[in-house]
Amino acid sequence: MLKPIKAKTFRAGSARFAIVASQYNARYVDAMLQAARAELEAAGAKEVQVVRVPGAYEIPVVVARLARASSDHALRITHHASPLSAIICLGVILRGETVHAALIGEAVSRALMEIQVQCEVPVIHEVLLLENDEQARARCLDPKRNRGREAAQTALAMARVMAGLG
């Protein structure tokens, strides 16, 4: 059963975030993006960088670039930027009549997991593999269950955890 997202109060402090969002299935992804940005801004995030990509399959390459740049001390010095506290990934993949959607979902999931472990930058995975529009509406358009909001809350929590590790 799909449960409503509980309100959590996190303060972002000096945390910087990036959101990589698919343009495919824009109606749903745009709603998640709007909810994620609102949640981060309400928490006082110092910066929220948004990068749009054509589809879910293109998300990992952009996340890898952002994570590497964030973890590369020399690159940060030349760009005068503090590291990213977390990267949020937003996309919607709807199953069709073939296994293509499952293959995309699995490849994206594996790549995002590897990037966060290698670069030590939290990657929040909200690239949803859904059966139909009804599931997408429930997870993306319903403000009480919007997975973009949940992703932002997770990013804020992970920023706090990582900052505590030193």
mmCIF file of all heavy atoms in Angstrom, residues 5 8 20 35 61 92 103 112 131 157 159-160 166:
data_model
loop_
_atom_site.group_PDB
_atom_site.id
_atom_site.type_symbol
_atom_site.label_atom_id
_atom_site.label_comp_id
_atom_site.label_asym_id
_atom_site.label_seq_id
_atom_site.Cartn_x
_atom_site.Cartn_y
_atom_site.Cartn_z
ATOM 1 N N ILE A 5 3.720 10.569 2.564
ATOM 2 C CA ILE A 5 5.039 10.946 3.043
ATOM 3 C C ILE A 5 4.861 11.782 4.296
ATOM 4 O O ILE A 5 4.075 12.725 4.326
ATOM 5 C CB ILE A 5 5.792 11.739 1.962
ATOM 6 C CG1 ILE A 5 5.989 10.842 0.742
ATOM 7 C CG2 ILE A 5 7.125 12.248 2.475
ATOM 8 C CD1 ILE A 5 6.344 11.599 -0.498
ATOM 9 N N LYS A 8 8.896 16.034 7.483
ATOM 10 C CA LYS A 8 10.121 16.008 8.279
ATOM 11 C C LYS A 8 10.747 17.388 8.207
ATOM 12 O O LYS A 8 10.662 18.059 7.185
ATOM 13 C CB LYS A 8 11.098 14.965 7.739
ATOM 14 C CG LYS A 8 10.566 13.555 7.844
ATOM 15 C CD LYS A 8 11.522 12.561 7.272
ATOM 16 C CE LYS A 8 10.911 11.170 7.312
ATOM 17 N NZ LYS A 8 11.696 10.198 6.611
ATOM 18 N N VAL A 20 19.015 15.725 -11.182
ATOM 19 C CA VAL A 20 19.086 15.313 -12.573
ATOM 20 C C VAL A 20 17.738 14.687 -12.897
ATOM 21 O O VAL A 20 17.356 13.682 -12.292
ATOM 22 C CB VAL A 20 20.238 14.326 -12.822
ATOM 23 C CG1 VAL A 20 20.300 13.942 -14.297
ATOM 24 C CG2 VAL A 20 21.571 14.921 -12.361
ATOM 25 N N ALA A 35 8.249 19.417 -6.604
ATOM 26 C CA ALA A 35 8.131 19.062 -5.185
ATOM 27 C C ALA A 35 9.508 18.967 -4.525
ATOM 28 O O ALA A 35 9.683 19.426 -3.387
ATOM 29 C CB ALA A 35 7.378 17.746 -5.038
ATOM 30 N N VAL A 61 25.084 9.155 -16.611
ATOM 31 C CA VAL A 61 26.304 9.800 -17.115
ATOM 32 C C VAL A 61 26.425 11.222 -16.566
ATOM 33 O O VAL A 61 27.522 11.682 -16.231
ATOM 34 C CB VAL A 61 26.385 9.766 -18.662
ATOM 35 C CG1 VAL A 61 25.348 10.670 -19.323
ATOM 36 C CG2 VAL A 61 27.790 10.129 -19.130
ATOM 37 N N VAL A 92 10.644 8.714 -14.721
ATOM 38 C CA VAL A 92 9.522 7.779 -14.718
ATOM 39 C C VAL A 92 9.634 6.901 -15.950
ATOM 40 O O VAL A 92 9.690 7.403 -17.078
ATOM 41 C CB VAL A 92 8.161 8.518 -14.703
ATOM 42 C CG1 VAL A 92 7.010 7.543 -14.914
ATOM 43 C CG2 VAL A 92 7.984 9.278 -13.399
ATOM 44 N N LEU A 103 14.866 -3.441 -18.481
ATOM 45 C CA LEU A 103 16.300 -3.354 -18.764
ATOM 46 C C LEU A 103 16.841 -1.958 -18.459
ATOM 47 O O LEU A 103 17.912 -1.807 -17.878
ATOM 48 C CB LEU A 103 16.584 -3.730 -20.220
ATOM 49 C CG LEU A 103 16.285 -5.182 -20.599
ATOM 50 C CD1 LEU A 103 16.454 -5.386 -22.102
ATOM 51 C CD2 LEU A 103 17.167 -6.138 -19.816
ATOM 52 N N LEU A 112 23.683 4.032 -10.879
ATOM 53 C CA LEU A 112 23.584 5.026 -9.807
ATOM 54 C C LEU A 112 24.195 4.511 -8.512
ATOM 55 O O LEU A 112 24.871 5.254 -7.789
ATOM 56 C CB LEU A 112 22.131 5.446 -9.596
ATOM 57 C CG LEU A 112 21.481 6.190 -10.769
ATOM 58 C CD1 LEU A 112 20.025 6.509 -10.458
ATOM 59 C CD2 LEU A 112 22.253 7.440 -11.152
ATOM 60 N N GLU A 131 4.103 0.385 -13.517
ATOM 61 C CA GLU A 131 3.292 -0.442 -14.406
ATOM 62 C C GLU A 131 2.407 0.381 -15.334
ATOM 63 O O GLU A 131 2.152 -0.024 -16.457
ATOM 64 C CB GLU A 131 2.409 -1.390 -13.588
ATOM 65 C CG GLU A 131 3.179 -2.402 -12.754
ATOM 66 C CD GLU A 131 4.042 -3.331 -13.601
ATOM 67 O OE1 GLU A 131 3.619 -3.708 -14.714
ATOM 68 O OE2 GLU A 131 5.146 -3.677 -13.137
ATOM 69 N N ALA A 157 18.579 14.351 4.626
ATOM 70 C CA ALA A 157 19.024 13.445 5.694
ATOM 71 C C ALA A 157 20.421 12.924 5.396
ATOM 72 O O ALA A 157 21.277 12.863 6.296
ATOM 73 C CB ALA A 157 18.034 12.291 5.838
ATOM 74 N N ALA A 159 22.725 14.344 3.540
ATOM 75 C CA ALA A 159 23.676 15.447 3.671
ATOM 76 C C ALA A 159 24.111 15.583 5.119
ATOM 77 O O ALA A 159 25.304 15.761 5.420
ATOM 78 C CB ALA A 159 23.046 16.755 3.176
ATOM 79 N N ARG A 160 23.151 15.451 6.025
ATOM 80 C CA ARG A 160 23.467 15.531 7.451
ATOM 81 C C ARG A 160 24.328 14.352 7.896
ATOM 82 O O ARG A 160 25.309 14.524 8.631
ATOM 83 C CB ARG A 160 22.171 15.593 8.250
ATOM 84 C CG ARG A 160 22.405 15.940 9.717
ATOM 85 C CD ARG A 160 21.111 16.076 10.497
ATOM 86 N NE ARG A 160 20.504 14.765 10.598
ATOM 87 C CZ ARG A 160 19.201 14.543 10.482
ATOM 88 N NH1 ARG A 160 18.370 15.527 10.262
ATOM 89 N NH2 ARG A 160 18.726 13.331 10.594
ATOM 90 N N GLY A 166 32.567 13.580 8.686
ATOM 91 C CA GLY A 166 33.803 14.354 8.554
ATOM 92 C C GLY A 166 34.495 14.243 7.259
ATOM 93 O O GLY A 166 34.255 13.661 6.327
#
